[in-house]
Amino acid sequence: MAEVKLFGTLPSPLSWRIQWALKLKGVEYEYVEEDLMNKSPLLLKYNPVHKKIPVLLHNERPIPESLVILEYIDETWQSNPLLPKDPLERANARFWAKFVDEKCLVSVFAVFLSAGKEQEKHLEEAAAALKILEGCVHGKRFFSGEGIGYADLVAGWIPQWLPVIEEVAGVKLLDPQSLPSLCAWSKSFLQVELIKENLPPRDELIGPYDAKRKIVLASAAT
């Protein structure tokens, strides 16, 4: 068995942020694609609390939850640090990573999984959260400065996944006029060679996201 194994799923940006971190660190790993409609006994065994991906298995020891996994990777493999050494900068990186997940990602997916007036309400919330994130990255190439780090990996869903969500849900959020710094960051992130070489094809995201939206909206209508 491989020393490092990652349980994930292709459509999930949470899986990809872990893959990016492992590749940045030069860590060899085995990837296990999970079917979230038919979760494997191993996934349920290694993450019995939330029963979700991603889960990192290191020497048979499971680590669930993507932000926790990122910090574990950074502390376990010292090369190419993801978090800065300065305590204040580390705290800021953690703060913005949490903001990205709990405010930006949650509100954008609420837009994705809603319609009508409910979607309009979530659109306002998502736009407000992204505007705050715009201020964080203003004047910087990356959240971490000149190279990608912890917060950049956490926000890495924005350049590739947000346009897919916009297309499927028929909305527009990542606008160069209102979010010029975030759009510039997105472009820089996608130009990083390691990221460019490790992205799910857009057409392989459209199908699963379109199907998910239709299922959720149909269920809400009944």
Side-chain angles (χ1 to χ4, degrees):
M1 173 175 279
E3 181 185 29
V4 180
K5 183 179 287 190
L6 173 63
F7 293 81
T9 184
L10 183 144
S12 171
L14 306 188
S15 299
W16 287 91
R17 65 175 55 158
I18 306 305
Q19 294 194 67
W20 296 332
L22 290 169
K23 289 181 181 298
L24 279 168
K25 296 284 188 176
V27 178
E28 293 187 6
Y29 65 96
E30 178 185 346
Y31 177 75
V32 180
E33 179 72 16
E34 279 287 335
D35 177 2
L36 298 186
M37 300 301 292
N38 184 26
K39 298 173 184 177
S40 72
L42 283 178
L43 176 62
L44 301 178
K45 172 186 175 182
Y46 292 133
N47 191 2
V49 176
H50 297 299
K51 303 178 176 63
K52 295 179 179 179
I53 55 91
V55 174
L56 186 76
L57 194 65
H58 184 208
N59 290 331
E60 292 294 330
R61 296 171 297 185
I63 306 99
E65 300 298 305
S66 67
L67 296 187
V68 175
I69 295 171
L70 285 178
E71 293 214 31
Y72 177 84
I73 289 171
D74 203 31
E75 292 172 2
T76 302
W77 293 280
Q78 301 297 313
S79 62
N80 297 322
L82 304 177
L83 283 161
K85 291 183 179 180
D86 180 78
L88 180 58
E89 291 181 6
R90 288 171 70 90
N92 283 333
R94 290 187 177 110
F95 172 85
W96 286 112
K98 191 174 182 182
F99 178 83
V100 166
D101 267 10
E102 295 184 357
K103 296 297 183 181
C104 299
L105 187 60
V106 167
S107 60
V108 165
F109 268 82
V111 171
F112 166 62
L113 296 174
S114 60
K117 290 185 178 180
E118 183 184 359
Q119 188 184 64
E120 291 177 8
K121 181 190 73 171
H122 292 312
L123 264 173
E124 292 181 6
E125 295 169 352
L130 291 172
K131 192 65 178 179
I132 293 172
L133 196 63
E134 162 83 5
C136 172
V137 79
H138 178 69
K140 297 186 290 187
R141 187 180 179 199
F142 297 108
F143 288 95
S144 306
E146 285 303 309
I148 59 174
Y150 182 74
D152 298 282
L153 297 186
V154 175
W157 60 271
I158 293 173
Q160 187 78 347
W161 279 262
L162 184 49
V164 168
I165 288 171
E166 290 175 327
E167 179 178 335
V168 171
V171 299
K172 185 63 179 176
L173 283 164
L174 195 58
D175 180 15
Q177 298 298 317
S178 58
L179 301 172
S181 297
L182 196 57
C183 287
W185 168 83
S186 296
K187 184 177 180 180
S188 296
F189 185 80
L190 291 179
Q191 287 175 343
V192 174
E193 201 64 31
L194 181 143
I195 301 299
K196 189 189 305 183
E197 294 174 354
N198 295 280
L199 281 174
R202 180 186 174 90
D203 59 357
E204 291 186 21
L205 293 176
I206 292 288
Y209 275 76
D210 185 51
K212 175 70 173 178
R213 176 174 163 81
K214 287 177 179 175
I215 291 170
V216 171
L217 293 184
S219 176
T222 58

